[in-house]
Each structure stands twice: as structure tokens, then as C-alpha cells.
Amino acid sequence: MPQASWNAFDHLSFAGTDLQELSTSLSRLHSRIDVRPEGSRKAQYQINMVRARGISIIASVYDGDFSIHFPASAETITVLIPLAESATVTVADRKLPSIQNQGILFDGQSNGQLRIAGPRTHLCLRVPHLEFARRIEARLNASLRGRLRFANEIDLSQGSGMDVALLAMTMHHGLMGETLRKSPRALGHLLGAMLELLIDAIPHNYSQEFSRDRKSPVPWHVKRAIHYMHGNISQVMTLKEIADACGVSPRTLQDGFRKFRMTTPMAYLEHLRLDVVRQELSSAHPDQSVRTIAQKWGFTHVGRFSGQYRKRFGELPSQTLSRIGENPVGAGKIEISRSQRMALAE
């Protein structure tokens, strides 16, 4: 399997009428997807899928009477953008119409079902939860407090939602032909734009903070503290040391971070370090030690570090490391350089 980048992605194209073959093919990119007949009408399908960096883009044309069942996967968010005709999506026992001008999102906390009855064309995105979280953190320049939660319905009739629908049509057309499969870099840029538009179009539990962040410029001492943290991220540092480097009192620094970053300076530093550790674990050799990597970035108590890591990413650091050994595609997550991270403080 090729290394995950938008210059080398997994591609799968198929068409047919056999639902068992459809189930098997869909499960090649995301396991345990089950397709079930719902009536006597003969099924037909034509699908083009690509996958890289843990993200799948699925351009589909269906006809017939059947349902597609997605198992719960807390790490994956699924976005369904209808392009022609209708279908029904069931999320946590709630039935949602997937029709023109209304997209659907389900975050994988519960099993999902897509019910096809007649012709149907759509674009489906399956994106790691962490990918959305990182993009929102980059916008806010702040670590998220708790799990990111989106609304299930997307208004595609206006604003950013309309742009999502138009972009989905372009991507679907490019994938069903050969244009985007021959230009993976263009596909990567289109996907990045799509994810940013979705963040604007779908209400989530950080939507209000986007508006507040635009209205309130970040104070210079908070910016300077963030730069100081990035520049000394592997070193032991105290709140007083950071405050002294910024020329303010610890209390002023605390107040600034609480107001403009919705956390404390030391919690912010901890999240920065956890992100760096995860990035290194995601590209490390399986024989490397979690302890060595954690201590390299300032985590001296490995037991406490493992708890912090699991709370932030939903898995133990050893699981991240072992998964890379089993599936090198996982190593292709987006990497942010030190200079890029520091630029986010501006």
C-alpha cells in the first residue's frame, strides 16, 4: 500500500449489480460496512473512491432498493452531500432526509444507515475526527476543551453550505471521470477547501468562538507566550518563567489565556507537547519506545502522560505506535512544521 500523501493515494473503482460485491468493495476502505437488500428491485451502482491521510472521498451513483450500514467509529466523521435524488439516513435512531440542499453529518458515535430507494447520486467524505479538530484549533489558536460536536444537518442552500454543494459537484464529476485521479495534488487542495467550508457551514460547539475570536485581537503577551512555548517546547518551564519572558505577571498571563485561549498557559503547553508527541509517534519505527519519545518532549511521568494522551486522542500512545507498524498508511497524517505552528500564534 502506498504511503499516504495526495501524490500517492489508494484508488478503487467499481460498478455492478451484486450487493454482496458492493459490501465487500466498500469494506476495503472502511471495514464492516454491510449492504442489505430492502426489496425486489434490482440494484445498480457505479463508484469511485480514493483514500489518503486516513480520508476517503467516495463519488457514488446508485439505483435500486437497498440499505448501507456503517458501524460506529468514534474516530471518523461521515459527511453525505446529495447531488441528485433522495435517500434516508438514520443516525442514532433518528431518520434524516438526505435531499437536495440538505447534507448530513454523523460523527460515528452510533451506527449509521443509508437507505437507497430509487436513483441516487452523492459525494461521501469519511474524515478522521482529529482532522476537523486540528483545523478548528488552528483557527482558534487554542486547544479544544472536550470532544468536537457537530450538528447532523447541513444547509446547502446558502452561504458556505452552497459553496460546499458546488464544490462537491466538481469533485464528484472529477472523480467519476479521470480528471482528479490524474491530478492528486488538485484533489488534495479541493478537499482542504471542502473541509474548511464544512467547518463554516455546520454548526458546532465552537462556532460562537470563531466570531468572538475575530472581534477580540489576541494580546501581545499571549502571542509572545505561545512563541516562547514553541521555542522551548522540549524544556522544563514554569508559569513564572513564561510570564517573565513576556514581561507580565503570572496572573496577567493566566487571565489572558483564559479570555483569549479558553484555557490556562500550562494546559496550552501540555496540548502543544501532546500534539508533537503524536506527530512523532505517527512516523516512528514500531521498535521505538513510547517512554523515550514522551521524555524527549518534557513528559517525565509516563503513566500520567499516557492518561493525558488517551484523554486528548482517544487511544493510548502505544496504540498509535503499534497501529503505524501494522498499517504504514497511518503515518501520513498532516505534519505542521515548527515555523507553521509559531505562525498560528499571530
Side-chain angles (χ1 to χ4, degrees):
M1 187 173 290
Q3 184 178 354
S5 73
W6 286 109
N7 288 321
F9 51 61
D10 295 327
H11 168 241
L12 184 62
S13 232
F14 56 93
T17 60
D18 187 294
L19 293 182
Q20 182 57 50
E21 289 182 1
L22 176 60
S23 179
T24 300
S25 297
L26 290 175
S27 294
R28 284 181 62 181
L29 290 186
H30 294 279
S31 62
R32 296 185 295 117
I33 291 179
D34 184 27
V35 182
R36 305 172 190 172
E38 298 290 349
S40 58
R41 185 173 178 178
K42 187 175 181 179
Q44 298 181 54
Y45 50 84
Q46 182 182 356
I47 297 173
N48 272 288
M49 300 190 289
V50 294
R51 182 177 186 269
R53 294 177 178 165
I55 300 172
S56 295
I57 312 170
I58 309 169
S60 307
V61 178
Y62 293 115
D63 199 358
D65 194 1
F66 57 94
S67 58
I68 302 174
H69 298 256
F70 301 90
S73 174
E75 293 186 354
T76 303
I77 290 175
T78 300
V79 181
L80 202 63
I81 304 168
L83 300 177
E85 307 302 336
S86 64
T88 302
V89 177
T90 302
V91 183
D93 297 325
R94 181 186 175 204
K95 291 188 176 181
L96 303 171
S98 180
I99 56 178
Q100 185 178 13
N101 293 333
Q102 182 169 304
I104 303 294
L105 177 146
F106 50 102
D107 65 5
Q109 296 283 358
S110 304
N111 293 336
Q113 174 185 309
L114 171 64
R115 177 74 160 81
I116 305 290
R120 165 70 168 189
T121 301
H122 65 239
L123 186 76
C124 179
L125 304 177
R126 288 176 64 82
V127 183
H129 182 278
L130 183 60
E131 178 69 23
F132 277 112
R134 284 177 173 171
R135 288 175 180 269
I136 291 177
E137 286 184 333
R139 288 197 190 187
L140 294 174
N141 196 21
S143 299
L144 302 189
R145 308 173 309 282
R147 184 177 176 83
L148 174 63
R149 299 188 182 280
F150 285 102
N152 292 124
E153 295 164 272
I154 312 166
D155 182 1
L156 303 177
S157 66
Q158 59 184 339
S160 299
M162 180 180 291
D163 293 335
V164 165
L166 293 172
L167 189 54
M169 292 176 64
T170 300
M171 294 175 71
H172 191 281
H173 178 76
L175 288 171
M176 293 302 289
E178 295 185 354
T179 308
L180 290 181
R181 283 183 279 140
K182 288 183 176 180
S183 183
R185 181 170 295 184
L187 178 59
H189 288 309
L190 287 174
L191 178 64
M194 172 73 79
L195 297 180
E196 294 295 341
L197 286 169
L198 284 168
I199 289 171
D200 290 330
I202 313 170
H204 52 80
N205 52 335
Y206 290 89
S207 296
Q208 291 184 347
E209 293 182 18
F210 285 170
S211 176
R212 181 175 65 187
D213 196 63
R214 286 192 293 268
K215 294 177 182 178
S216 303
V218 179
W220 67 269
H221 62 273
V222 174
K223 291 183 180 181
R224 188 169 180 180
I226 293 171
H227 277 275
Y228 184 84
M229 291 176 189
H230 280 296
N232 299 275
I233 195 167
S234 63
Q235 305 300 315
V236 176
M237 64 183 88
T238 65
L239 175 62
K240 185 178 185 306
E241 180 184 343
I242 300 171
D244 287 346
C246 300
V248 296
S249 68
R251 181 172 180 177
T252 298
L253 191 62
Q254 290 269 31
D255 291 343
F257 267 80
R258 286 196 178 100
K259 182 176 181 180
F260 293 94
R261 290 294 170 255
M262 290 70 70
T263 188
T264 67
M266 301 314 289
Y268 189 94
L269 175 61
E270 178 183 286
H271 280 193
L272 289 180
R273 286 174 166 165
L274 286 170
D275 288 341
V276 172
V277 170
R278 185 172 179 85
Q279 180 175 314
E280 184 158 339
L281 286 172
S282 296
S283 59
H285 190 279
D287 291 339
Q288 287 188 258
S289 163
V290 169
R291 177 187 295 272
T292 300
I293 294 174
Q295 291 179 341
K296 172 182 175 181
W297 297 106
F299 293 99
T300 56
H301 192 291
V302 177
R304 182 170 178 269
F305 157 73
S306 294
Q308 294 167 324
Y309 189 96
R310 184 171 188 173
K311 182 178 180 181
R312 179 153 173 75
F313 301 115
E315 64 180 9
L316 292 171
S318 57
Q319 292 175 304
T320 303
L321 189 60
S322 63
R323 187 173 66 252
I324 300 308
E326 296 168 0
N327 181 13
V329 169
K333 291 183 171 60
I334 294 174
E335 294 187 0
I336 302 175
S337 68
R338 177 175 170 237
S339 60
Q340 288 174 314
R341 292 196 305 269
M342 292 179 70
L344 294 175
E346 298 296 341

